[in-house]
């Protein structure tokens, strides 16, 4: 019974987050429309995704603690409701302040939803296969991002009507997640005895935020670096950059950008399967991190088709869900998984907000646009620098893991293989 239900839970979780992924990525396809039809600056456009992350700097950890207290399924349902409210306010979107508030609400709900579903999957797959399950979760969820990018073609009539109809379409996708979140909650409530979850914490202690091993902090740092490059470029500025720098249409830019998640849809489960079966997590991280700076080198220094660089970025980012999140779940106690994920997302949100804002500021400072393509050099240099720091960090992590006899991200593979019911 547990075997069948855990796959149903995985499917419901993936469909729930899929709508939110679509909505998060709905800003990049309309960036040019916002610039031309509403006169938004690059910094204002960047702020729409920066404000998504800002509230989660202090509140992501609160969401993680709350999940540990009230349960992942209940928290996911409440968060989906908040996401829907935020998506609707963003779609109304006039004046600009209302759009910002909508993205703020959406960000508040989305990060808690994200953490809750990851915790829920970790609990239902506690007996084995965590890396593959989380990889499949992200692979299916990123269909939402792929759909958002390609919507410039399959929903072209909506874009022809202006900036607002595409945002209403995004709100509808987010609202559909309420149905699957409710179904997940009902299944989880009736079968709580089948999932693996430690007893809830009776009270919160500040020391619980720092009582993690050194490998956990390495993993957290890498997550922040990866996310600070990947999401601000791909989900905020890439489509606009492709149009201006490569001279292509909105539809062509959306399709080119979609290759990031099209590649990840297939690469992520493969990486997850390898991580579950063979381990080598630090090695996988090093390979993934090495691809990221190469992505920007190919993008800027060659005339290769855009899909080459975007597919490379998709493969690179596949290691995050397939390696980092499962490793995080394995390195902490079950009753503290929500808190650990919340701490990761808190610092990740800080990186996302700072990177989005900085990239928009650099584009405005150097007057980036179709008439000044070189103005994007500042933004691209920022992302390339962060990519190189991430690569160097993964190399150092791999050296450290090879010198250790146990206890790191490689050791959890050995532990889980020997005793699949003891993942702490």
């Amino acid at each position: 019974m547990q075997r069948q239900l855990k796959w149903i839970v995985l499917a419901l979780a993936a469909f729930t987050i899929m709508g939110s992924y679509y909505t998060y990525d709905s800003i990049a396809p309309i960036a040019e429309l916002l610039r031309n039809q509403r006169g938004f600056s690059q910094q204002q456009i960047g702020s729409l995704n920066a404000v998504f992350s800002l509230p989660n700097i202090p509140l992501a950890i609160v969401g993680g603690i709350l999940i540990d207290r009230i349960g992942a399924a209940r928290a996911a349902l409440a968060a989906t409701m908040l996401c829907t409210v935020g998506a609707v306010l963003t779609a109304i979107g006039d004046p600009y302040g209302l759009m910002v508030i909508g993205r703020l609400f959406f960000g508040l709900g989305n990060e808690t939803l994200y953490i809750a579903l990851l915790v829920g999957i970790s609990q239902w797959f506690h007996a084995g296969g965590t890396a593959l399950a989380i990889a499949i979760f992200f692979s299916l969820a990123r269909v939402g991002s792929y759909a958002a990018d390609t919507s410039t073609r399959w929903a072209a009539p909506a874009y022809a009507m202006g900036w607002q109809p595409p945002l209403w379409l995004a709100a509808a996708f987010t609202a559909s997640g309420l149905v699957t979140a409710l179904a997940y909650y009902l299944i989880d409530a009736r079968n709580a005895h089948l999932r693996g979850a430690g007893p809830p914490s009776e009270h919160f202690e500040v020391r619980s935020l720092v009582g993690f091993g050194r490998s956990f902090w390495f993993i957290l740092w890498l997550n922040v670096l990866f996310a600070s490059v990947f999401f601000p470029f791909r989900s905020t500025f890439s489509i606009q950059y492709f149009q201006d720098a490569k001279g292509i249409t909105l539809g062509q830019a959306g399709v080119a950008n979609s290759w990031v998640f099209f590649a990840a849809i297939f690469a992520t489960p493969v990486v997850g399967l390898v991580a579950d079966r063979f381990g080598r997590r630090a090695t996988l991280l090093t390979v993934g991190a090495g691809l990221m700076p190469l992505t920007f080198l190919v993008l800027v220094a060659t005339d290769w088709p855009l899909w080459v660089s975007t597919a490379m970025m998709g493969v690179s980012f596949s290691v995050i869900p397939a390696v980092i999140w499962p490793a995080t779940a394995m390195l902490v106690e079950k009753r503290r998984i929500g808190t650990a994920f919340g701490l990761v997302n808190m610092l990740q949100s800080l990186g996302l907000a700072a990177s989005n804002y900085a990239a928009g500021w650099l584009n405005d400072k150097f007057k980036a646009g179709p008439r000044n393509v070189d103005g994007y050099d500042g933004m691209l240099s920022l992302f390339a620098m962060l990519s190189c720091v991430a690569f160097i960090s993964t190399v150092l992590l791999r050296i450290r893991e090879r010198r250790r006899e146990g206890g790191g991200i490689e050791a959890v593979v050995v532990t889980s293989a020997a005793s699949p019911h003891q993942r702490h």
Side-chain angles (χ1 to χ4, degrees), residues 211-253:
F212 299 109
R214 189 172 295 179
S215 290
F216 169 82
W217 294 105
F218 261 105
I219 291 294
L220 184 151
W221 167 245
L222 291 174
N223 200 329
V224 171
L225 285 173
F226 272 114
S228 296
V229 175
F230 182 83
F231 287 110
F233 179 71
R234 186 221 164 268
S235 299
T236 308
F237 298 104
S238 57
I239 291 180
Q240 184 175 311
Y241 168 73
F242 292 159
Q243 289 177 265
D244 293 347
K246 305 299 182 180
I248 59 179
T249 66
L250 174 61
Q252 291 171 327

Coordinates of all heavy atoms in Angstrom, one line a residue, residues 211-253:
G211 N 23.0 24.0 14.7 CA 23.5 22.7 15.1 C 23.5 21.6 14.0 O 23.1 20.5 14.1
F212 N 24.0 22.1 12.8 CA 24.2 21.1 11.7 C 25.7 20.9 11.4 O 26.5 21.7 11.8 CB 23.5 21.7 10.4 CG 22.1 22.0 10.6 CD1 21.5 23.2 10.6 CD2 21.2 20.9 10.6 CE1 20.2 23.5 10.8 CE2 19.8 21.1 10.7 CZ 19.3 22.4 10.8
G213 N 26.0 19.8 10.7 CA 27.4 19.5 10.4 C 27.9 20.4 9.3 O 27.2 21.1 8.6
R214 N 29.3 20.3 9.2 CA 30.0 21.2 8.2 C 29.6 20.9 6.8 O 29.5 21.7 6.0 CB 31.5 21.0 8.4 CG 32.3 22.0 7.6 CD 33.8 21.9 7.9 NE 34.0 22.3 9.3 CZ 35.2 22.3 9.9 NH1 36.3 21.9 9.2 NH2 35.4 22.7 11.1
S215 N 29.3 19.6 6.5 CA 28.9 19.2 5.1 C 27.6 19.9 4.8 O 27.4 20.3 3.6 CB 28.7 17.7 5.0 OG 30.0 17.1 5.1
F216 N 26.7 20.1 5.8 CA 25.4 20.8 5.5 C 25.7 22.2 5.1 O 25.0 22.7 4.1 CB 24.5 20.7 6.8 CG 23.3 21.6 6.7 CD1 22.2 21.3 6.0 CD2 23.4 22.9 7.3 CE1 21.1 22.1 6.0 CE2 22.3 23.8 7.2 CZ 21.1 23.4 6.5
W217 N 26.6 22.9 5.7 CA 26.9 24.3 5.4 C 27.6 24.4 4.0 O 27.3 25.4 3.3 CB 27.7 24.9 6.5 CG 27.0 25.0 7.8 CD1 27.2 24.2 8.9 CD2 25.9 25.9 8.1 NE1 26.3 24.6 9.9 CE2 25.5 25.6 9.4 CE3 25.3 26.9 7.4 CZ2 24.5 26.3 10.1 CZ3 24.2 27.6 8.0 CH2 23.8 27.3 9.3
F218 N 28.4 23.4 3.7 CA 28.9 23.4 2.3 C 27.8 23.3 1.3 O 27.8 24.1 0.3 CB 29.9 22.2 2.2 CG 31.3 22.6 2.3 CD1 32.0 22.2 3.4 CD2 32.0 23.2 1.3 CE1 33.4 22.5 3.6 CE2 33.4 23.5 1.4 CZ 34.0 23.2 2.6
I219 N 26.9 22.4 1.5 CA 25.8 22.2 0.6 C 24.9 23.5 0.5 O 24.5 23.9 -0.6 CB 24.9 21.0 1.1 CG1 25.6 19.7 0.9 CG2 23.6 21.0 0.4 CD1 25.9 19.3 -0.5
L220 N 24.7 24.1 1.7 CA 23.9 25.3 1.7 C 24.6 26.4 0.8 O 23.9 27.1 0.0 CB 23.7 25.8 3.1 CG 22.8 27.0 3.4 CD1 22.2 26.9 4.8 CD2 23.6 28.3 3.3
W221 N 25.9 26.6 1.0 CA 26.6 27.6 0.3 C 26.5 27.4 -1.2 O 26.3 28.3 -2.0 CB 28.0 27.6 0.8 CG 29.0 28.4 -0.1 CD1 30.1 27.9 -0.8 CD2 29.1 29.8 -0.3 NE1 30.8 28.9 -1.4 CE2 30.2 30.1 -1.1 CE3 28.3 30.9 0.1 CZ2 30.5 31.4 -1.5 CZ3 28.6 32.2 -0.3 CH2 29.7 32.4 -1.1
L222 N 26.7 26.1 -1.6 CA 26.6 25.8 -3.1 C 25.2 26.1 -3.6 O 25.1 26.6 -4.8 CB 27.0 24.4 -3.3 CG 28.5 24.0 -3.0 CD1 28.7 22.5 -3.1 CD2 29.4 24.8 -4.0
N223 N 24.2 25.8 -2.9 CA 22.8 26.0 -3.3 C 22.6 27.5 -3.6 O 22.0 27.9 -4.6 CB 21.9 25.5 -2.2 CG 20.5 25.3 -2.8 OD1 20.0 25.9 -3.7 ND2 19.8 24.3 -2.2
V224 N 23.1 28.3 -2.7 CA 22.9 29.8 -2.8 C 23.6 30.3 -4.1 O 23.1 31.1 -4.8 CB 23.4 30.5 -1.6 CG1 23.5 32.0 -1.8 CG2 22.6 30.2 -0.3
L225 N 24.8 29.8 -4.3 CA 25.6 30.2 -5.5 C 24.9 29.8 -6.8 O 24.8 30.6 -7.7 CB 27.0 29.7 -5.4 CG 28.0 30.3 -4.4 CD1 29.3 29.5 -4.4 CD2 28.3 31.8 -4.8
F226 N 24.5 28.5 -6.8 CA 23.9 28.1 -8.0 C 22.6 28.9 -8.3 O 22.4 29.3 -9.5 CB 23.5 26.6 -7.9 CG 24.5 25.6 -8.3 CD1 25.2 24.8 -7.3 CD2 25.0 25.5 -9.6 CE1 26.1 23.9 -7.7 CE2 25.9 24.6 -10.0 CZ 26.5 23.8 -9.0
A227 N 21.8 29.0 -7.3 CA 20.5 29.7 -7.5 C 20.7 31.2 -7.9 O 19.9 31.7 -8.7 CB 19.6 29.6 -6.2
S228 N 21.7 31.8 -7.3 CA 22.0 33.3 -7.6 C 22.4 33.5 -9.0 O 22.3 34.7 -9.5 CB 23.0 33.8 -6.6 OG 22.6 33.7 -5.3
V229 N 22.8 32.5 -9.7 CA 23.1 32.6 -11.1 C 22.0 32.2 -12.0 O 21.5 32.9 -12.9 CB 24.4 31.8 -11.5 CG1 24.6 31.8 -13.0 CG2 25.6 32.3 -10.8
F230 N 21.5 31.0 -11.7 CA 20.5 30.4 -12.6 C 19.2 31.1 -12.7 O 18.7 31.5 -13.8 CB 20.2 28.9 -12.0 CG 19.3 28.2 -12.9 CD1 19.7 27.5 -14.0 CD2 17.9 28.1 -12.5 CE1 18.8 26.7 -14.8 CE2 17.0 27.3 -13.3 CZ 17.5 26.7 -14.4
F231 N 18.5 31.4 -11.5 CA 17.2 32.0 -11.6 C 17.2 33.4 -12.0 O 16.3 33.8 -12.9 CB 16.5 31.8 -10.2 CG 16.1 30.4 -10.0 CD1 16.7 29.6 -9.0 CD2 15.1 29.8 -10.7 CE1 16.3 28.3 -8.8 CE2 14.7 28.5 -10.5 CZ 15.3 27.8 -9.5
P232 N 18.0 34.3 -11.6 CA 18.0 35.7 -12.1 C 18.2 35.8 -13.6 O 17.6 36.6 -14.2 CB 19.1 36.4 -11.3 CG 19.2 35.6 -10.0 CD 19.0 34.2 -10.4
F233 N 19.2 35.0 -14.1 CA 19.4 35.1 -15.5 C 18.3 34.4 -16.3 O 17.6 35.1 -17.1 CB 20.7 34.4 -15.9 CG 21.0 34.4 -17.4 CD1 21.3 35.6 -18.0 CD2 20.9 33.2 -18.2 CE1 21.5 35.6 -19.4 CE2 21.1 33.3 -19.5 CZ 21.4 34.4 -20.1
R234 N 18.0 33.2 -16.0 CA 17.0 32.4 -16.8 C 15.6 32.9 -16.6 O 14.8 33.0 -17.6 CB 17.1 30.9 -16.4 CG 16.2 30.1 -17.3 CD 15.5 29.0 -16.5 NE 14.4 28.5 -17.4 CZ 13.2 29.0 -17.3 NH1 12.9 29.9 -16.5 NH2 12.3 28.5 -18.1
S235 N 15.2 33.3 -15.4 CA 13.8 33.6 -15.1 C 13.4 35.1 -15.2 O 12.3 35.4 -15.0 CB 13.4 33.0 -13.8 OG 13.5 31.6 -13.8
T236 N 14.5 35.9 -15.3 CA 14.2 37.4 -15.3 C 14.7 38.0 -16.6 O 14.0 38.7 -17.3 CB 14.8 38.1 -14.1 OG1 14.4 37.4 -12.9 CG2 14.4 39.5 -14.0
F237 N 16.0 37.9 -16.9 CA 16.6 38.7 -18.0 C 16.9 37.9 -19.3 O 17.2 38.6 -20.3 CB 17.9 39.3 -17.4 CG 17.7 40.2 -16.3 CD1 18.0 39.8 -15.0 CD2 17.1 41.5 -16.4 CE1 17.8 40.7 -13.9 CE2 16.9 42.3 -15.4 CZ 17.2 41.9 -14.1
S238 N 16.9 36.6 -19.3 CA 17.4 35.9 -20.5 C 16.7 36.2 -21.7 O 17.3 36.4 -22.8 CB 17.5 34.4 -20.2 OG 16.2 33.9 -19.8
I239 N 15.3 36.1 -21.7 CA 14.5 36.3 -22.9 C 14.7 37.7 -23.5 O 14.9 37.9 -24.7 CB 13.0 36.0 -22.6 CG1 12.9 34.5 -22.3 CG2 12.2 36.4 -23.8 CD1 11.4 34.1 -22.0
Q240 N 14.7 38.7 -22.6 CA 15.0 40.0 -23.0 C 16.4 40.2 -23.6 O 16.6 40.8 -24.7 CB 14.8 41.0 -21.9 CG 14.9 42.5 -22.2 CD 14.6 43.3 -21.0 OE1 13.6 43.1 -20.3 NE2 15.4 44.3 -20.7
Y241 N 17.3 39.6 -23.0 CA 18.7 39.6 -23.5 C 18.8 38.9 -24.9 O 19.5 39.4 -25.8 CB 19.7 38.9 -22.5 CG 21.0 38.7 -23.1 CD1 21.9 39.7 -23.2 CD2 21.4 37.4 -23.4 CE1 23.2 39.5 -23.8 CE2 22.7 37.1 -23.9 CZ 23.6 38.2 -24.1 OH 24.8 37.9 -24.6
F242 N 18.2 37.8 -25.0 CA 18.2 37.0 -26.3 C 17.6 37.9 -27.4 O 18.2 37.9 -28.5 CB 17.4 35.7 -26.2 CG 18.1 34.7 -25.3 CD1 17.3 33.7 -24.8 CD2 19.4 34.8 -25.0 CE1 17.9 32.7 -23.9 CE2 20.0 33.8 -24.1 CZ 19.2 32.8 -23.6
Q243 N 16.5 38.6 -27.1 CA 15.9 39.4 -28.1 C 16.8 40.6 -28.5 O 17.0 40.9 -29.7 CB 14.6 40.0 -27.6 CG 13.5 39.0 -27.5 CD 12.2 39.6 -26.9 OE1 12.0 39.6 -25.7 NE2 11.4 40.2 -27.7
D244 N 17.4 41.2 -27.5 CA 18.3 42.4 -27.8 C 19.6 42.0 -28.4 O 20.1 42.7 -29.4 CB 18.5 43.2 -26.5 CG 17.2 43.9 -26.0 OD1 16.2 43.9 -26.8 OD2 17.2 44.3 -24.8
A245 N 20.3 41.0 -27.8 CA 21.6 40.7 -28.2 C 21.7 39.8 -29.5 O 22.6 39.9 -30.3 CB 22.4 40.0 -27.1
K246 N 20.7 39.0 -29.6 CA 20.7 38.0 -30.7 C 19.8 38.4 -31.9 O 19.8 37.7 -32.9 CB 20.4 36.6 -30.2 CG 21.2 36.1 -29.1 CD 22.7 36.0 -29.5 CE 23.6 35.5 -28.4 NZ 25.0 35.4 -28.7
G247 N 19.0 39.4 -31.7 CA 18.1 39.9 -32.7 C 17.0 39.0 -33.1 O 16.7 38.9 -34.3
I248 N 16.4 38.3 -32.2 CA 15.4 37.3 -32.5 C 14.0 37.8 -31.9 O 14.0 38.7 -31.1 CB 15.7 35.9 -31.9 CG1 15.9 35.9 -30.4 CG2 17.0 35.4 -32.6 CD1 16.2 34.6 -29.8
T249 N 13.0 37.1 -32.3 CA 11.6 37.5 -31.8 C 11.4 37.0 -30.4 O 12.1 36.1 -29.9 CB 10.6 37.0 -32.8 OG1 10.5 35.5 -32.7 CG2 10.8 37.4 -34.2
L250 N 10.3 37.5 -29.9 CA 9.9 37.0 -28.5 C 9.6 35.5 -28.5 O 10.0 34.8 -27.6 CB 8.6 37.8 -28.1 CG 7.9 37.3 -26.8 CD1 8.9 37.5 -25.6 CD2 6.6 38.1 -26.5
G251 N 8.9 35.0 -29.5 CA 8.6 33.6 -29.6 C 9.9 32.8 -29.7 O 10.0 31.7 -29.1
Q252 N 10.8 33.2 -30.5 CA 12.1 32.5 -30.7 C 12.9 32.5 -29.4 O 13.5 31.5 -29.0 CB 12.9 33.1 -31.8 CG 12.3 32.9 -33.2 CD 13.0 33.7 -34.3 OE1 13.5 34.8 -34.0 NE2 13.1 33.1 -35.5
A253 N 12.9 33.7 -28.7 CA 13.6 33.8 -27.5 C 13.0 32.9 -26.4 O 13.8 32.2 -25.6 CB 13.7 35.2 -27.0

